[in-house]
Amino acid sequence: MRKGFVFLLVLALVLVGLAGTSAEPSRAQGTWSLAEAAKPYAGTEIRAFFLERPGYVAAQQMIPEFEQITGIKVTWDVTPYENSLEKQTLDFTGGTAQFDVVLVDVVWIGNFAANGWIVPLEKFYKNPALADPELNLDGFFPILLESFGTWDGVIYGLPFDNYSGLLYYNKCMLQEAGFERPPDTWEELLNVYGPALTKDGKYAFALQSRRGETQSADSFMRVIWPFGGSLLKDDFTSNLSSPESLAGLKFRQDLMRYMPPDIVAFDHDETVQALAQGQVAMITEWSAFYATLANPATSRITDCLGITVEPAGPAGRKPALGGFSLAVNSSSSEAKQAAAWLFIQWITSEAKAKEYAERGGVSGRRSVYQDPEMIAKFPHYPALAESWEKYGNAVFRPRFPEWPALSDVIAQFGTEMMLGSISVEEGVARIEAQMATILRDYTAGRLPKLQ
Amino acid sequence: MANLADAVNLVETEQTARHRRPLRINWLALAMILPSIIALLLIGLYPLLFALSLSFQRFLLNRPQNNGLFVGFENYATVLNDPLFWSSLGRTLTMLLIVLIVQIVAGIGIAVLIDSSRWRAVNWTVKTALVIPIAMTPAVVGLLGLLIFNRDFGLMNYLLGLIGIEKVNWLGDPTMAMVAIILTDIWQWTPFAALIMLSSLAIVPHDMVEAAKLDTKNSWTIFRYVKLPYLMPGITAFMIIRTADVLKLFDMPFTLTRGGPGVSTELISLYVQRMGFRIFDMGVASAQAVLLLILCIILARAYIHFFYRTPESE
């Protein structure tokens, strides 16, 4: 009897032990499910802030699946980019919480985070009830998560709509002029490709330079970095009058000989159209425009389209970096915050990344760019992944709340510089004068020097 | 169109002021208009007073920590010492002067042509066509302008090309960009002038014109001394409406040039918007708006003083 009892006891212990060891991992991986996590929030309605760009259309197509799994209702507003900072700022300052899922441009993260308008995501990803065990934050390109997801070491947003500058070129025009490959450096583009490709009313290059963020980010900053310049020194005083920054800006003036004469009126659309219609041979534009240029309905050069990384300058390759993360509004109710997090986690997840990309989005997940099937479908992926993996520059534009004001000043004098109504040196001097006022709280030490 | 109502009210108060009757309150009428008065106070007066109070405060939307601090006239001093404010105001007033003259002269011309035409079908068609530009959303007009004034594919350069004129760099050249904005405004609002003038011409008494024709064969003289006096109230109303309109003209230039290249097309409203929603300094932006309102009132009073004449007072 006693033997039998001991045997049973041992057996029971072993069984309990086995059950215990097998239960541990299943709680971590197997039993978490989106449907379970969302149960307390079924019926909650959340509103997302979207733009009219391909990635957001992809998300809209995917939302019904999320709603079906979770019972959370997701609605959205589509706003033009130009009004989106203003609209969201008014929502934040008014505390109206119209949007639970907010959209954070790389240059707004400091503004939104420093003012406490968006929730640090720790609150959710450290909560086992809400965090998907397969969230895998390391699966994002680090540069993307850092530049438009993180402020002062804290994660606020997950990369959703991701951009890098790429060099798009018209292979046929280049071949006709005797070039077998695109230019590797900016100097080569200016000195070799420029003169050869500018003829018969066509131009070698177009750099979108319309007044606004296009001038300050796409044009002005794009020529400063590759030449070793930068906007600010470490002490937040201007670095624009350094020889390197000036060299970049002067390079842009030289390049104007090979650009359409109304280049200061070119926004993204005009620039992409100029390449798509065969008016110019090369442009440096955001990765998102691949869809327009590769589509026969919107482009005449689909067969001639070539894509590579942006040219290198004397200081190396410094392509433009941009993009948006999705974040949670601090003014939203707790339930809506949790629901918003579940949506953000799901739409940016590794599991959904491929579908998102196939529907036209540009995922921030590394895995998609290593998938041979996807590379075959999207030939610009290697250049894109290379730009983010090797050349990413998180402070391509400063991300503090003062950037919009600074951007406006740069946009104004930047275009005047290009028009030749003021010299490069004079333009820089005027930007510096206003920049000193805008950033005085930093230089005087009243604000932490974060960008 | 609220502007039109305002302007007509102004004109009417001037008239009633001249033949003032003893005050008798019609309570029923008052009760019936009360809801709309309350609505007007809420959406008209409240924001105005709010902006007025903001203009005396430090109010930065993107640095909200010290907002609400009373700063006296500091915001006004900032505005008045800002060369960009004065240059954008100067640009706006220059544009106002040009469009007012062109639109009134062209509007009268079109109205007189329609008025003297005998084909009813033509009149009706032209009148309908005149409404179309006015009815268009300014932002859409700006977007259309982008297509029309495009240097390479634009309609304008195509038409100029037909008569042998070289491509004009409309939106990339500071002067031509301003010309493009002015042309667009003239295109959109001349029909409005024509319609106002047309309705003014309709009230010119027929027998007066007939009588004048007995005295002179010179149609200019008849226009100047018989018809023009009837047009003056309409012209004054048009000037007031358009002045307010140009001072707050935003959508069309924003979509067409966004104030560029450089600051060459930065009208005052674009600058105020930039101050409020790019630089996020609501205090200074409110001070600018209040100063603009004052300017608008002064101009409106001046127009009434110098241009407004009832036909009887001529």
Side-chain angles (χ1 to χ4, degrees), chain A residues 94-430:
Chain A
T96 37
Q98 281 188 57
F99 302 101
D100 310 295
V101 177
V102 298
L103 188 68
V104 190
D105 190 359
V106 55
V107 283
W108 306 336
I109 181 95
N111 187 1
F112 291 6
N115 286 314
W117 292 333
I118 48 182
V119 184
L121 293 184
E122 255 178 14
K123 177 174 171 185
F124 310 110
Y125 68 71
K126 289 204 170 152
N127 177 352
L130 290 173
D132 183 346
E134 284 166 14
L135 169 63
N136 188 18
L137 288 173
D138 298 332
F140 291 106
F141 286 94
I143 184 72
L144 303 180
L145 188 61
E146 184 196 337
S147 59
F148 39 92
T150 311
W151 181 249
D152 201 10
V154 178
I155 298 178
Y156 288 90
L158 298 184
F160 168 68
D161 184 19
N162 309 283
Y163 305 102
S164 172
L166 295 172
L167 178 71
Y168 295 93
Y169 59 97
N170 185 328
K171 278 183 205 161
C172 309
M173 278 171 89
L174 261 63
Q175 269 160 14
E176 239 168 69
F179 299 113
E180 284 308 311
R181 58 167 182 84
D184 188 50
T185 64
W186 282 106
E187 275 97 343
E188 199 180 9
L189 193 155
L190 170 73
N191 298 321
V192 184
Y193 287 70
L197 289 161
T198 306
K199 55 178 186 235
D200 311 327
K202 301 194 171 172
Y203 298 90
F205 187 65
L207 180 62
Q208 55 282 14
S209 298
R210 194 173 181 209
R211 189 174 168 197
E213 195 75 14
T214 309
Q215 164 67 220
S216 58
D218 290 274
S219 183
F220 193 93
M221 296 308 291
R222 183 175 254 121
V223 293
I224 289 199
W225 287 107
F227 287 80
S230 65
L231 185 64
L232 300 174
K233 293 184 198 145
D234 288 341
D235 62 357
F236 275 36
T237 56
S238 167
N239 190 35
L240 287 179
S241 45
S242 70
E244 293 83 10
S245 300
L246 286 175
L249 291 171
K250 285 184 177 150
F251 171 83
R252 183 171 68 157
Q253 293 306 115
D254 293 338
L255 197 56
M256 284 191 67
R257 267 179 288 161
Y258 307 120
M259 296 203 272
D262 53 341
I263 193 69
V264 286
F266 272 44
D267 212 328
H268 300 289
D269 270 350
E270 286 81 3
T271 309
V272 172
Q273 278 311 310
L275 182 72
Q277 303 301 324
Q279 289 290 307
V280 304
M282 297 174 283
I283 60 173
T284 41
E285 257 295 0
W286 293 118
S287 41
F289 290 106
Y290 170 78
T292 316
L293 288 166
N295 179 355
T298 47
S299 167
R300 283 190 190 173
I301 61 148
T302 45
D303 296 334
C304 297
L305 181 63
I307 305 154
T308 185
V309 285
E310 283 194 22
R317 231 177 274 281
K318 307 267 183 177
L321 174 74
F324 298 85
S325 64
L326 293 179
V328 179
N329 191 339
S330 312
S331 311
S332 296
S333 68
E334 284 294 317
K336 286 190 178 213
Q337 285 190 8
W341 157 258
L342 288 174
F343 173 68
I344 294 170
Q345 177 176 245
W346 180 80
I347 196 82
T348 62
S349 68
E350 219 132 54
K352 285 282 138 196
K354 205 167 152 184
E355 184 189 342
Y356 175 63
E358 278 171 339
R359 290 182 187 273
V362 180
S363 172
R365 293 285 184 174
R366 277 166 156 166
S367 57
V368 180
Y369 299 83
Q370 290 152 2
D371 185 337
E373 192 193 324
M374 297 300 281
I375 295 174
K377 220 179 267 182
F378 300 103
H380 66 302
Y381 270 17
L384 195 51
E386 184 185 346
S387 301
W388 286 332
E389 209 71 78
K390 285 204 204 151
Y391 311 118
N393 176 5
V395 291
F396 185 80
R397 295 167 270 174
R399 302 172 298 152
F400 45 52
E402 285 72 17
W403 168 254
L406 209 52
S407 163
D408 246 35
V409 174
I410 294 174
Q412 181 197 329
F413 293 113
T415 35
E416 290 188 343
M417 233 180 241
M418 286 180 87
L419 287 166
S421 50
I422 49 175
S423 67
V424 168
E425 286 82 359
E426 197 185 337
V428 163
R430 294 204 193 167

Side-chain angles (χ1 to χ4, degrees), chain A residues 81-83 85-86 89-90 93 108 111 114-115 117 201 203 210-214 216 260-267 270 273-274 277 279 400-405 407-409 411-413 415-416 419 421 434 441-442 447, chain B residues 58-65 67 82 84 91 146-147 149-153 167-174 250 252-266 270-271 273-280 282:
Chain A
Y81 173 78
E82 282 71 27
N83 305 98
L85 174 60
E86 153 190 348
T89 303
L90 291 176
T93 51
W108 306 336
N111 187 1
N115 286 314
W117 292 333
Y203 298 90
R210 194 173 181 209
R211 189 174 168 197
E213 195 75 14
T214 309
S216 58
D262 53 341
I263 193 69
V264 286
F266 272 44
D267 212 328
E270 286 81 3
Q273 278 311 310
Q277 303 301 324
Q279 289 290 307
F400 45 52
E402 285 72 17
W403 168 254
S407 163
D408 246 35
V409 174
Q412 181 197 329
F413 293 113
T415 35
E416 290 188 343
L419 287 166
S421 50
Q434 296 204 27
D441 283 344
Y442 293 97
L447 287 171
Chain B
R58 178 198 181 279
F59 209 98
L60 295 173
L61 280 183
N62 60 351
R63 286 277 178 207
Q65 290 78 12
N67 281 352
D82 178 2
L84 273 180
R91 211 171 287 123
L146 272 183
L147 299 177
F149 293 111
N150 183 297
R151 184 178 163 277
D152 292 313
F153 316 109
K167 278 184 180 175
V168 177
N169 188 358
W170 287 105
L171 301 176
D173 178 85
F250 175 77
M252 185 268 281
F254 185 75
T255 44
L256 187 54
T257 63
R258 212 166 294 158
V263 282
S264 57
T265 56
E266 185 157 271
L270 287 171
Y271 188 50
Q273 189 266 354
R274 189 151 79 91
M275 187 56 77
F277 296 109
R278 287 290 299 172
I279 301 170
F280 288 114
M282 286 294 167

